[in-house]
Amino acid sequence: LRRLGEHDAIQCYTEQMKVDAMSRLSMESALREAIDKDQFVLVYQPKVDADRGRIVGGEALVRWHHPTEGVIGPVAFIPLLEEMGLIGHLGQWVLNQACDDLSRWRAAGVPVVPIAVNLSAIQFGRQDLLDSIRDTLDAHEVGADMIELEVTESALMRDTHATAEVLHGLHGLGLSLAVDDFGTGYSSLAYLKRFAVDTLKIDRSFVQDCDGGNHDPAIVRAIIAMARSLGMGLVAEGVETEAQARVLQAHGCPVMQGYLFARPMSEVDFRTALRDGLPGADRFRRAAE
Ligand code: C2E
Ligand code: MG
Ligand code: MG
Ligand code: MG
């Protein structure tokens, strides 16, 4: 039996690197093809106002329908598209598709709600962002109040001067902005106030433990109190249990998104939910209307 020597180890390592490089290369060409052949699909996850038992918004989330690998989630390909310089293409496709869906729902007489679209940090920094958003809204005759943009906290804080300018422009168009994954980055209160951010989305990691016995209920409480005193809207992400929903509602955050209410769903299912309501959305209802 031959012992594995240093040389073999290096060889082995190099082989592994080749495999990695190949899969990356083939992933890249598959992604280019995905863009050409229109293999992306949007799913929608409802945002529910628990007090009223109603869908008050939706978030568009992209999926890649790979011809042989099946459905691939955004975490696996968005960073690669960013590195390839193609995230702008996807972002444009996503916004266009969301506006197209909105205008078709409206034409079908469905009571529509604002749809949130995620922007990557790279898109957020691009000069042509405002123009392309305005052109897309105009082309579909969708009002700026029907589209909300979600940007992660870390993307917002990357270049605060540029952020202030972009936000100014977005607000000028009538668009609103939500800070995604709030609590995981390092934003200062002064900036949040200066940026006039519209909504904070409390990161799932805080929501997930807010019915537990550790410090997280305090964090959720603090975020809720802060958003309220700054006059911002609030959404809790990743609500999975009734206990979490009750804690959030009790502390004044009725708008929730998570598997407890609904998983991201196809455009057809979301349209049905808009028309007929979401089963179980009214279980925490308390306002008499
Ligand atoms: P995000 O914007 O924070 O979206 C929330 C993610 O949490 C989604 O994952 C959603 O499916 C998942 N989620 C929702 N409720 C629950 C829950 O109760 N429990 C758990 N465990 N997860 C829940 P998804 O669709 O895989 O998206 C992941 C991330 O990819 C998004 O995080 C967003 O940052 C990014 N992303 C998605 N679509 C787009 C897009 O069109 N453009 C860009 N730039 N990024 C996108
Ligand atoms: Mg989001
Ligand atoms: Mg999020
Ligand atoms: Mg998150």
Side-chain angles (χ1 to χ4, degrees), residues 42-43 45 59-63 73-75 78 82 87 90-91 94 117-121 123 150 152 180-181 201 203-204 208 237-240 244 257-260 262-264:
L42 287 187
V43 290
Q45 188 179 31
E59 178 174 6
L61 296 158
V62 71
R63 301 287 180 262
V75 177
I78 293 229
E82 288 179 337
I87 193 66
L90 180 76
V94 168
V117 167
N118 292 281
L119 290 187
S120 90
Q123 281 176 278
E150 294 190 5
T152 61
D180 212 338
D181 304 345
K201 295 191 76 177
D203 189 65
R204 179 166 87 219
Q208 223 101 92
E237 300 190 307
V239 182
E240 291 182 355
Q244 290 161 2
Q257 204 181 351
Y259 295 167
L260 176 66
R263 293 194 172 241

